[in-house]
């Protein structure tokens, strides 16, 4: 039996103001391009870890070159991840990617005590654009006022294809 690889299903999104608010609330944000890639993630989600490990370098490089705005928004699905997400929001911005990398690479991370911050607001707004689980990726072109959302893991080449299709 031969299995054909299906192209990712991209659902249209046209909620520019909600996407801007999500960027403001994002726990990680790099770059300032007109095209944005927002990843909704859970620190205990295995497919989020895989997506992060395979695409983080590529997306950060694109953001540093001004091609995109790359952001990561909390969307806690696994309740045992909540203290880690709170801790993430208490760290200085430059320390956050290291914590995400440590968690996704299986290093032991102490959550400690930390207030919730904008965790619930990020989740509420994410649901307004159609996020219902993790990982979810939102590709948005602010110059056109539209974009796409995809639920589930995407390969690096599919992520790049979705960016170029904006």
């Amino acid at each position: 039996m031969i299995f054909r690889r299906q192209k990712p299903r991209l659902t249209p999104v046209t909620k520019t103001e909600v996407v801007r608010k999500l960027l403001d609330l994002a726990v990680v944000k790099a770059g300032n391009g007109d095209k944005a890639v927002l990843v909704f993630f859970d620190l205990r989600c295995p497919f989020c870890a895989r997506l992060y490990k395979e695409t983080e370098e590529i997306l950060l490089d694109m953001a540093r070159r001004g091609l995109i705005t790359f952001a990561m928004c909390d969307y806690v699905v696994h309740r045992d991840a909540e203290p880690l997400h709170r801790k993430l929001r208490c760290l200085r911005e430059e320390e956050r990617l290291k914590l995400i990398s440590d968690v996704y690479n299986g290093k032991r991370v102490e959550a400690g005590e930390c207030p919730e911050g904008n965790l619930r607001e990020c989740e509420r707004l994410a649901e307004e654009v159609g996020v219902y689980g993790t990982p979810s990726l939102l590709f948005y072109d602010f110059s056109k006022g539209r974009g796409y959302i995809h639920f589930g893991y995407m390969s690096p080449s599919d992520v790049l294809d979705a960016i170029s299709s904006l």
Side-chain angles (χ1 to χ4, degrees), residues 29-42:
K29 185 177 171 190
N32 59 357
D34 270 350
K35 295 178 180 182
V37 178
L38 282 85
V39 177
F40 298 91
F41 73 107
D42 180 307

Side-chain angles (χ1 to χ4, degrees), residues 120-136:
R120 296 292 169 238
E121 183 66 10
C122 202
E123 290 174 6
R124 186 189 66 73
L125 284 172
E127 289 168 358
E128 281 189 39
V129 294
V131 173
Y132 58 89
T134 59
S136 289

Side-chain angles (χ1 to χ4, degrees), residues 3 6 24 41 49-50 53 61 66 72 99-100 102 110 119-120 124 135 143 146 151-152 154 156 160 164:
F3 291 98
Q6 291 185 355
D24 289 341
F41 73 107
R50 180 178 174 196
K53 290 177 193 178
D61 179 60
M72 296 181 71
L99 179 105
I100 294 168
D102 286 350
E110 292 297 322
L119 194 57
R120 296 292 169 238
R124 186 189 66 73
S143 67
R146 64 181 166 86
F151 172 70
M154 289 178 88
L160 293 173
S164 65

Side-chain angles (χ1 to χ4, degrees), residues 10-70:
L10 300 172
T11 305
V13 174
T14 57
K15 297 186 175 189
T16 300
E17 287 311 307
V18 175
V19 176
R20 285 193 196 286
K21 287 177 187 175
L22 282 164
L23 280 177
D24 289 341
L25 291 171
V27 70
V28 170
K29 185 177 171 190
N32 59 357
D34 270 350
K35 295 178 180 182
V37 178
L38 282 85
V39 177
F40 298 91
F41 73 107
D42 180 307
L43 286 167
R44 293 290 186 219
C45 163
F47 287 103
C48 298
R50 180 178 174 196
L51 177 72
Y52 179 83
K53 290 177 193 178
E54 293 178 359
T55 62
E56 181 243 355
E57 253 181 62
I58 297 164
L59 295 174
L60 278 176
D61 179 60
M62 290 178 78
R64 287 185 190 114
R65 292 187 290 137
L67 301 173
I68 64 168
T69 300
F70 169 56

